[in-house]
Structures are given as structure tokens and as C-alpha cells.
Amino acid sequence: MLLCSLLWLSQAWAAADVVLPDWLEQVQQNKYKKPEAMLQLAKQYEAEFGRWPEQVQAVWLSEVAMMYEVLGRYREQMAVAERGLALTADQKNDTRVELLYSMGFALETQREYAIANDYYKKGMALAETLQNEKLIIQGLTNLSAMLAEDNEDPKALEMLKQAYDRAVKLNDTEMLASVQAELGLMYTMLGVDDEARQFLEESFKLFDQLGWTKSKMMVWYNLASTYGFLDKQEQALAIFDQMLKVSLEQEDPVSLYFAYMGLANTNRRLKKLDSAIAYIEKAETYLPFLQSTFQISEHHFIKAKIYRSLGQINLAMQQVDLAAQQLDESKNASDRFYALHFDDLRARLYADAGNYEKAYRTLDKFFEAYIDLQDNKRDMDVQKLRLSFDAERQEARNQLLQKDNELQALKLQEIERNRQIQWLWIGIFACTSLVLFILLLWQWSRRRRHLSKALPVTP
């Protein structure tokens, strides 16, 4: 045990002694603000990789993996994170935690939740050993996502609540923005759309302050989608229009995809089907840039809905089948839940085509799967936890409001005191001026009397 402790300390000291090149520090500081430019900068030095100290190599791999994540290039993120983990196998430092989280996230995008969860747990355990609060908060958000995907909503929400409390205590803008973005998604999944909107709006403001455009764009998409769920389609449309404008300016293919996709789905809800099909076809040109199997599945599912609205039943059924092919229902609970949408739409399509027997059988399958997955106790636990969390947040808001009111009252008292002092000085000045004026008047009168006595009298 003592030998292990000494080994860990020596590794920590070695990491502390390493001085990163200026260009790599620049990459660290700006990777979320300018990921494309920083990735290009990091790649310029890749040929020198073998000449760097091992810790610099590890940091370079970690930073490149994170930039691939921001850019939505998850397969490349996975490959780089794998290299980094092999390099840092015997290390216990922040870089190792970041690489474990990167690997987990890349696997999560490919729906490999069990393996992703293992990486997240390893990263979290090391973050706690290192007592790095930011990495612990990040670990809590990662693990909560895995719990939500495994249909463990009460535990997921409890974990996010812990992350939120820690982020508030740490008063770190980056962590607050990230946690509230996750809470917004969680509340959307739970169907609590108004609360979801509040979290997402706050997250958007914070990412805007940080200048993290990519993160802001994803929150923008989720916020607009939430407006859509609230049946505020015009507000959703306005956000997607803004998102499209920024995406075109930045020539960002992933953001362009989501902007066009959002416009397509919103126009579908507004029954503007010609616009909906035009936008989804534009989105499809950017589909090859997407490396998330869930997003590809959702693309085909929404396209199926548009085709159904247009009365093109066969094309709609083809799109539902393509959507289902992206998911492995036997592997993940969340995939089984999402697959319920496919059976529901298939049943409706069969009915539209007049094949009522198939429609009935498919709908029967849908209800059986729904009852099997439904858990009323879990739903009640979620509601209790959500309400207690909301009550705590409201109490915190009330305390802040009370402090703000007290501060405002003190400011008003100070203003009133200053006003009284100002009037006092004005009064003193007025009295002094009046006395001086009387003295001057008295002197002037006296001088006139002297002058009148001194003048000779004319006979």
C-alpha cells in the first residue's frame, strides 16, 4: 500500500513538473470557443508527438479527443481516446479522467451503454480520489445519463440534483451551464416541458457568456424542440431560423443538419408539408456528418411522419424500418422505449392503407410492450424527487430574492440619507447665501448713507 502511495505521488509530481508548450495551453483555453481552429493548431504539431514528454502526449490526445467530441466526430474521438488510455494506463491524474470520460461518451453515441458506463465509473472513481470537483460534477452528469438510458429516472434525477448542488456551491459557470443543459434534457424526457425550458434558457445564457458556440447551438436546438412540445411552434420556428443563420455563417455541417431538421419537424407540426419535406431533404445532405446512431434513427422516424402526412404510406413505412435498423432493442431499455414509437406509427400506417388486421396486431404488440415497460412506482418516485428538487430551488430563489430586497432597501435608505444630506447642504448654502446677501445689503445701505452725508448741500 505504501509503495502504491509513493508511486502515485511520484506520478503526480512528474505531472506537475511538466510545462506544456504555449500552443497547447492555447488549445486548452480555446477548445470550446474555436474547436475547428484549435484542432487545426493541435494537428500542426502532431509530427513532433514522439519527441514530447509522456504527459504532454497524454494532454495532446485528451484535448484532441475533446475537440472531436465538440465537433460531433465521435468515431475519431473514440480512436484518439483509446490511444490516450493505453498511454496513461499507469497514471492517476486529471488527464486520465478526461480520457476515460471521452471514451465513455464516444461509446454512448454508439448506444454501447454498458461499456460506456464502465468507463464513466472508472473516471468518476479516479476523480473522487483526486478530489477534482469539476471532474466529479462531470462524472455525475455522465452517470446520470446512463441511469436515464437504463430507465432509472429517479436515480438519474437524484444524481443530477447532486451535480447541480455542487456546481452552485463551486460557482463555476462552465459546470452550471453543462448541468443545467442536462437537467433541461432530463425534464424534457420526463414531460415537464416548462421546467425544461427554464433550465435550457439559463444554460443557453451561460454558454453564450462563455462564448461556447457549439454547446450553445445544441442547447438552442433542445430549447426550440421544447417550445415545439409546448405547442409554441412559432417560437420554435424563430429559434431554428436563427440557428440556421449562425450555422450558415460558420459553415458548420452538424449544426446545419440540426437547424434544417428542426425546421422540417416544426413545419410538419404547422401542416406546412411542402416546406417540411424541402427542409428534411436539405438536412439529409448533411446526414453523413452525423455519427450518432440515435440521431440517424430519429431522422428516419421524423421523415416517416412527414411522408405519412403527405399520404405516401409506402415511403413512410420504409423510413420506419430504416429508423428501427439503427437501434438494438435487446441491448438497451431506452431503445425499447423508443421502439414503441415505431410500432405506434406502423399501426397507424397499416390503418391508413386499409390493412386493419395488421394494424390491430401491431397495436396489440405496442400495448403489450408498453405495459411491460411501464413502472408506476418509478414514475411516482420521479415526481416526488422532482417536486422536492423544485421546492429546494424555489426556496433558494426566495432566499436570493429576500437578500436582493434587503439590499435594495439598504440602497434606498442610502439614497434617502444622501438626499437628506444633500438638502441639508443646500439649506446651509441657502442660509449662508441669505446671510451674506443681508450683510451685503446692509453694507450697501450703510455706504449710501455715508455718501449722502458726505455730499455738499446745493443752495
Side-chain angles (χ1 to χ4, degrees):
M1 180 64 73
L2 178 62
L3 181 61
C4 292
S5 299
L6 290 171
L7 179 61
W8 182 85
L9 284 170
S10 68
Q11 289 170 342
W13 289 332
D17 291 337
V18 171
V19 178
L20 298 179
D22 290 342
W23 60 267
L24 189 50
E25 286 188 351
Q26 185 183 350
V27 168
Q28 277 188 323
Q29 293 166 8
N30 295 289
K31 60 178 174 287
Y32 294 117
K33 291 181 181 178
K34 303 173 182 177
E36 295 96 339
M38 292 302 102
L39 180 61
Q40 188 176 358
L41 176 60
K43 286 285 192 178
Q44 287 177 10
Y45 293 90
E46 189 172 10
E48 303 172 17
F49 184 88
R51 298 197 292 273
W52 300 333
E54 191 174 279
Q55 187 59 25
V56 175
Q57 292 178 353
V59 171
W60 185 89
L61 289 167
S62 176
E63 297 300 322
V64 169
M66 278 189 273
M67 286 184 286
Y68 279 139
E69 179 180 322
V70 175
L71 295 170
R73 295 162 64 174
Y74 306 124
R75 286 190 283 272
E76 290 158 290
Q77 177 191 11
M78 190 185 298
V80 173
E82 196 170 16
R83 283 177 61 193
L85 289 172
L87 182 68
T88 60
D90 299 323
Q91 296 180 15
K92 296 184 183 296
N93 52 38
D94 294 350
T95 305
R96 172 78 178 172
V97 179
E98 290 167 353
L99 286 162
L100 285 164
Y101 287 164
S102 276
M103 190 67 177
F105 188 82
L107 287 161
E108 183 184 338
T109 64
Q110 306 306 308
R111 318 292 284 178
E112 296 290 346
Y113 295 136
I115 309 172
N117 199 38
D118 287 342
Y119 279 101
Y120 286 151
K121 284 180 177 177
K122 289 175 185 175
M124 182 67 171
L126 183 52
E128 289 176 330
T129 301
L130 298 170
Q131 297 183 336
N132 186 314
E133 192 66 14
K134 288 182 74 167
L135 290 174
I136 290 171
I137 294 168
Q138 188 180 342
L140 286 167
T141 60
N142 291 336
L143 290 169
S144 73
M146 294 296 91
L147 286 167
E149 294 293 353
D150 201 31
N151 203 28
E152 296 283 353
D153 296 333
K155 292 179 182 177
L157 189 56
E158 174 60 37
M159 202 164 277
L160 275 182
K161 179 183 176 297
Q162 292 176 34
Y164 179 81
D165 291 342
R166 283 175 177 265
V168 169
K169 188 180 290 186
L170 192 62
N171 196 25
D172 184 279
T173 305
E174 295 177 10
M175 291 295 100
L176 276 169
S178 298
V179 172
Q180 291 193 94
E182 292 297 325
L183 277 165
L185 281 174
M186 184 73 194
Y187 273 65
T188 300
M189 285 169 56
L190 296 173
V192 192
D193 297 323
D194 199 51
E195 281 290 316
R197 176 186 57 77
Q198 291 177 36
F199 278 121
L200 291 169
E201 284 177 349
E202 186 58 32
S203 175
F204 179 84
K205 289 175 189 174
L206 295 176
F207 278 132
D208 194 33
Q209 289 173 21
L210 291 166
W212 293 11
T213 305
K214 299 286 186 185
S215 301
K216 188 175 76 171
M217 296 283 269
M218 284 298 98
V219 174
W220 226 350
Y221 177 83
N222 292 328
L223 180 58
S225 299
T226 302
Y227 275 123
F229 299 143
L230 289 166
D231 203 25
K232 296 180 179 179
Q233 307 304 335
E234 295 300 333
Q235 287 170 275
L237 209 58
I239 293 177
F240 285 129
D241 278 330
Q242 287 178 282
M243 187 177 171
L244 178 60
K245 183 181 177 182
V246 175
S247 301
L248 286 167
E249 288 171 357
Q250 295 190 343
E251 298 180 346
D252 176 4
V254 175
S255 295
L256 277 167
Y257 169 81
F258 282 107
Y260 281 127
M261 200 65 199
L263 287 165
N265 205 22
T266 307
N267 276 282
R268 178 188 66 81
R269 290 194 180 111
L270 290 168
K271 309 299 182 186
K272 297 178 180 178
L273 301 179
D274 289 342
S275 296
I277 199 70
Y279 279 126
I280 203 165
E281 284 175 357
K282 286 184 178 179
E284 206 148 76
T285 61
Y286 299 99
L287 193 59
F289 291 96
L290 262 66
Q291 296 183 8
S292 166
T293 53
F294 176 79
Q295 293 298 339
I296 296 169
S297 176
E298 189 175 45
H299 174 93
H300 292 298
F301 182 62
I302 291 172
K303 194 171 184 181
K305 286 184 174 182
I306 295 172
Y307 276 141
R308 185 193 175 218
S309 298
L310 289 166
Q312 299 183 26
I313 308 304
N314 290 335
L315 289 175
M317 193 66 80
Q318 288 173 20
Q319 291 297 317
V320 176
D321 291 339
L322 287 171
Q325 285 173 19
Q326 296 295 321
L327 305 181
D328 185 350
E329 296 174 33
S330 63
K331 191 183 292 184
N332 304 309
S334 60
D335 288 351
R336 291 199 296 275
F337 264 103
Y338 193 59
L340 292 174
H341 294 88
F342 304 154
D343 285 335
D344 177 54
L345 185 54
R346 281 195 185 102
R348 295 172 190 275
L349 289 168
Y350 284 133
D352 291 342
N355 195 338
Y356 298 109
E357 186 180 346
K358 273 192 174 181
Y360 175 81
R361 285 204 303 268
T362 307
L363 201 58
D364 191 47
K365 178 186 172 187
F366 165 83
F367 279 116
E368 282 181 10
Y370 178 80
I371 292 166
D372 184 52
L373 290 168
Q374 191 62 25
D375 185 341
N376 293 326
K377 183 180 180 299
R378 182 202 67 236
D379 293 342
M380 288 296 293
D381 289 343
V382 168
Q383 291 306 315
K384 288 177 185 176
L385 182 58
R386 183 182 69 79
L387 290 171
S388 85
F389 183 29
D390 291 347
E392 287 176 20
R393 287 176 58 236
Q394 189 58 50
E395 186 180 349
R397 286 194 193 110
N398 291 339
Q399 288 174 357
L400 287 172
L401 185 61
Q402 185 179 350
K403 289 179 182 177
D404 188 55
N405 289 338
E406 289 172 1
L407 184 62
Q408 292 299 323
L410 288 172
K411 285 181 179 178
L412 288 172
Q413 288 175 12
E414 185 68 22
I415 291 168
E416 184 61 30
R417 192 179 297 111
N418 290 337
R419 187 181 298 152
Q420 290 173 356
I421 292 170
Q422 189 178 20
W423 278 111
L424 179 63
W425 280 111
I426 290 170
I428 293 169
F429 177 75
C431 291
T432 306
S433 299
L434 182 61
V435 170
L436 287 172
F437 178 73
I438 291 169
L439 285 171
L440 286 170
L441 187 62
W442 177 74
Q443 286 180 348
W444 180 74
S445 300
R446 190 179 174 193
R447 190 177 294 114
R448 284 197 65 186
R449 284 199 301 271
H450 279 299
L451 285 171
S452 62
K453 290 177 181 178
L455 288 171
V457 179
T458 305

